[in-house]
């Protein structure tokens, strides 16, 4: 019994992180009907952006400068074409943003010299890192997804496949392929009672994932922007007819998605180390969303927990029986069973198409 | 008229000589392949060490009795298919009396090449794999006469660790040993032999766990080890440079703090100090090479001639990369030294064959079989014989990691330090 509770608890904690990954897929799918296969690369990228700020990791000038220039160009473009700012405002704004990014990357933020407490440093660096991740998400959307608006969602999905390879290459070029140590040193909240043991890092991962999940739900259901996003998800054409800027909504959705993936990435990196090869973790979101339902936010939460628990149970009870590697396969077997019974997932909307 | 004819004849002859002589002059060629990219990460250091080594061999090192080696280097991206394809390409393009030796690096590549190397091409093949299946009792020179390994087999590595446990176990009762290994040809190699030997020594083998490279958490595995009350955990089949090793060590230190974590060659090194930091402190592992790269790098062991040579080579030929370290430079000197040792081994084998008057594949094979060498002082002056087709030298190391404040950051310092003399596994009566 103790074993079972321990296994279920561990599974739920990891499952909450998976749920967050699932949420990122779901919100993009709801807004554009595209599946983001570049989720793994967003996960690594978001973690690296946080890493730069939290661990004061600097880059050599030949890597920091092109990134600064890229930010300058992007900012200027968005200010000029999307926000419709005047040229004399757009260019200086882009320059300031590009210069700031270059300074952060080249000189470092050096938070540790300002704040000694690792928790406080985390509290400062996390929103900054997430903002950076969200910003990159929106940048990617603007460059790769926006030109495809109005085309088949399949085109967008395929673009995300290519995008994944491109992002991976960029990350390798900037940060290399080796592992980076990742120690957040958050307050120890390990729970140990007799034979029960829940480590601090997975508990923090569970708490932060749940918190992020909650914040996204509040944003979607309790804010004007959220309402606009939901309206766009329902029917893009109608939403535009009502004066909602669907193109900008899509940008926000990608930004939120990238931001949430970054939280999951940071938590997973904290279990071990940060490395470009970790991108495979993003694929855990596939069984999560297919089990929960591609367009169900609540389904992502339940799907994540189911996948986490399923992996944990398989690892504790089935693998020791000699079925080595079953832990990785178990969520997919479960997925097959669910799809046989409910082809749209447990909470997915059943679509009836008249032909 | 006569003068013109003589001139034309001389001109024609010189042209013929110009084209024919190089064709008739036999070259000494070698093919080397390293995993410089792919799932193990970006490891150009192998290539850097090898290139610097071969340049030294051909210039200051005197080549093969004055003759230069034409060497080819390929990155097989940790992909056996690429390794096999490269080998096929080069053996098709270069005649057997010129392409005299080849080198590879992984167990996964050795298996599909068995027939091609040992029966078709009959070319001496040096490898970084320490496969027990290929080089151990079930394989070896009688079965795979052209395969040579540059280190003791994984089975022998695990058995040396088990012997260490036997000699150092202080608790009451039998030692409780657990095996954690990767679900790969590498991880599964040597583990059954280790388990059998543990049982022979009278140990309790309390857990056998396959821990995959795709792990996001090691909680389940470590809870199983805790439940099994494992006192010694042998972690085998993993690179020390990757996130899964950091996940395992960080989790194990918290869940099974009293267990002695142990490991084989590719986990025993600099990387886990950097990525797992204090969680790696106290680790006991074996390695087939001397430890070459502590943190900070300047404190490298200068008493080992090979280590000193590797550092001097890197400082001279790659000063920027040596200084940069993790930031786009030489991340671990072991990798650089490994490339260098391959270059030195190629020169030694080819020179020995040439000295014996038989610079052919068979001659190189004979030279390797009869080789008794100290590998430029790599094993503290001890020599090894290549009779078993492995370099059967091992040393046991213990990790000492301490966090120190450097500027505003806490950084790990330390290394893995020898706790035994060099052990020749061919001389051990198991």
């Amino acid at each position: 019994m103790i074993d079972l509770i321990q296994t279920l608890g561990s599974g739920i904690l990891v499952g909450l992180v998976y749920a967050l990954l699932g949420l990122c897929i779901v919100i993009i799918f709801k807004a554009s009907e595209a599946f983001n296969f570049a989720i793994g690369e967003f996960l690594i990228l978001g973690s690296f952006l946080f890493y730069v700020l939290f661990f004061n990791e600097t880059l050599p000038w030949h890597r920091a400068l092109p990134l600064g220039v890229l930010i300058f160009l992007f900012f200027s473009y968005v200010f000029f074409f999307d926000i419709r700012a005047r040229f004399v405002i757009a260019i200086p704004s882009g320059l300031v943003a590009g210069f700031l990014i270059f300074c952060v990357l080249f000189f470092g933020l050096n938070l540790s010299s300002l704040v000694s407490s690792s928790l406080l440093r985390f509290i400062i660096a996390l929103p900054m890192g997430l903002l950076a991740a969200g910003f990159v998400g929106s940048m990617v959307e603007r460059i790769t997804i926006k030109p495809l608006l109005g085309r088949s969602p399949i085109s967008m999905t395929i673009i995300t496949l290519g995008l994944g390879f491109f992002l991976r290459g960029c990350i390798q070029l900037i940060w290399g392929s080796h592992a980076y140590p990742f120690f957040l040193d958050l307050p120890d909240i390990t729970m140990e009672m007799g034979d029960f043991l829940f480590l601090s890092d997975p508990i923090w991962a569970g708490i932060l994932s749940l918190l992020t999940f909650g914040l996204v739900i509040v944003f979607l259901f309790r804010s004007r922007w959220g309402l606009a996003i939901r309206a766009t998800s329902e029917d893009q054409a109608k939403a535009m007819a009502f004066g909602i800027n669907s193109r900008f909504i899509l940008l926000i959705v990608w930004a939120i998605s990238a931001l949430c993936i970054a939280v999951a990435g940071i938590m997973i990196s904290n279990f071990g180390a940060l490395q470009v090869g970790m991108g495979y973790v993003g694929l855990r979101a596939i069984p999560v969303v297919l089990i929960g339902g591609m367009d169900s936010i609540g389904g992502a939460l339940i799907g994540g927990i189911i996948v986490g628990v399923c992996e944990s149970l398989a690892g504790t009870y089935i693998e020791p029986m000699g079925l080595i590697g079953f832990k990785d396969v178990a969520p997919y077997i479960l997925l097959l069973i669910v799809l046989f019974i409910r082809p749209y997932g447990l909470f997915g909307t059943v679509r009836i198409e008249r032909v | 008229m006569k003068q013109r004819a003589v001139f034309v004849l001389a001109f024609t002859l010189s042209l013929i000589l110009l084209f024919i002589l190089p064709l008739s002059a036999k070259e000494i060629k070698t093919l080397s392949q390293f995993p410089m990219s792919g799932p193990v990460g970006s490891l150009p250091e192998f290539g850097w060490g090898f290139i610097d080594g071969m340049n030294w061999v051909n210039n200051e090192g005197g080549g093969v009795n004055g003759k230069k080696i034409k060497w080819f280097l390929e990155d097989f991206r940790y992909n056996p298919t690429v390794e096999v394809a490269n080998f096929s390409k080069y053996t098709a393009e270069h005649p057997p009396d010129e392409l005299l030796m080849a080198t590879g690096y992984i167990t996964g590549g050795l298996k599909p090449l068995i027939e091609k190397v040992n029966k078709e091409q009959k070319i001496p093949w040096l490898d970084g794999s320490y496969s027990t299946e290929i080089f151990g009792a079930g394989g070896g020179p009688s079965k795979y006469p052209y395969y040579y390994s540059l280190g003791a087999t994984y089975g022998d590595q695990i058995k040396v660790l088990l012997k260490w446990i036997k000699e150092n176990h202080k608790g009451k009762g039998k030692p409780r040993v657990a095996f954690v290994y990767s679900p790969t040809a590498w991880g599964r190699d040597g583990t059954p032999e280790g388990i059998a030997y543990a049982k022979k020594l009278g140990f309790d083998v309390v857990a056998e766990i396959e821990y995959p490279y795709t792990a996001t958490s090691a909680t389940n595995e470590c809870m199983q080890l805790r439940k099994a009350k494992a006192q010694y955990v042998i972690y085998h089949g993993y690179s020390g440079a990757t996130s899964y090793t950091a996940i395992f060590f960080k989790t194990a230190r918290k869940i099974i703090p009293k267990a002695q974590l142990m490991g084989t060659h590719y986990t025993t090194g600099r990387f886990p100090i950097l990525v797992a930091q204090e969680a790696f402190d106290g680790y006991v592992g074996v390695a087939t090479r001397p430890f070459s790269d502590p943190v900070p790098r300047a404190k490298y062991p200068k008493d080992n001639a090979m280590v000193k040579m590797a550092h001097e080579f890197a400082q001279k030929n790659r000063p920027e990369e040596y200084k940069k370290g993790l930031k786009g430079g030489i991340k671990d000197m072991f990798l650089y030294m490994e490339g260098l040792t391959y270059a030195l081994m190629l020169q030694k084998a080819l020179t020995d064959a040439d000295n014996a008057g038989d610079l052919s594949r068979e001659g190189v094979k004979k030279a390797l079989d009869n080789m008794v060498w100290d590998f430029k002082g790599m094993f503290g002056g001890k020599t090894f014989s290549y009779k078993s087709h492995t370099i059967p030298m091992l040393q046991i190391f213990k990790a000492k990691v301490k966090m120190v404040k450097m500027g505003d950051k806490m950084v790990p310092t330390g290394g893995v330090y020898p706790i035994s003399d060099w052990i020749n596994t061919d001389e051990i009566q198991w």
Side-chain angles (χ1 to χ4, degrees), chain B residues 5-26:
Chain B
V6 170
F7 179 76
V8 169
L9 191 69
F11 183 74
T12 316
L13 268 174
S14 60
L15 264 181
I16 291 167
L17 283 175
L18 185 75
F19 287 103
I20 289 188
L21 270 183
L23 290 177
S24 62
K26 259 195 343 187

Side-chain angles (χ1 to χ4, degrees), chain A residues 3 55 182 271-272 324 328, chain B residues 210 214 216 227 243 250 409:
Chain A
D3 262 4
F55 295 99
F182 209 100
F271 293 162
I324 304 299
D328 285 342
Chain B
E210 285 204 10
T214 50
T216 45
K227 210 172 120 192
S243 55
K250 280 165 86 171
K409 280 184 182 175

Side-chain angles (χ1 to χ4, degrees), chain A residues 175-194:
Chain A
W175 286 288
S177 315
H178 63 278
Y180 283 76
F182 209 100
F183 289 82
L184 288 179
D185 287 331
L186 295 171
D188 191 359
I189 49 170
T190 300
M191 285 164 64
E192 190 169 11
M193 286 166 289

Side-chain angles (χ1 to χ4, degrees), chain B residues 23 32 34 57 89 91 106 111 124 132 140 177-178 246 265 268 294 296 311 365 373 418:
Chain B
L23 290 177
S32 292
F34 292 102
V57 163
K89 175 176 167 270
T91 48
I106 58 169
K111 291 181 181 172
T132 316
V177 185
H265 177 81
T268 311
H311 278 269
K365 178 177 160 39
W373 194 28

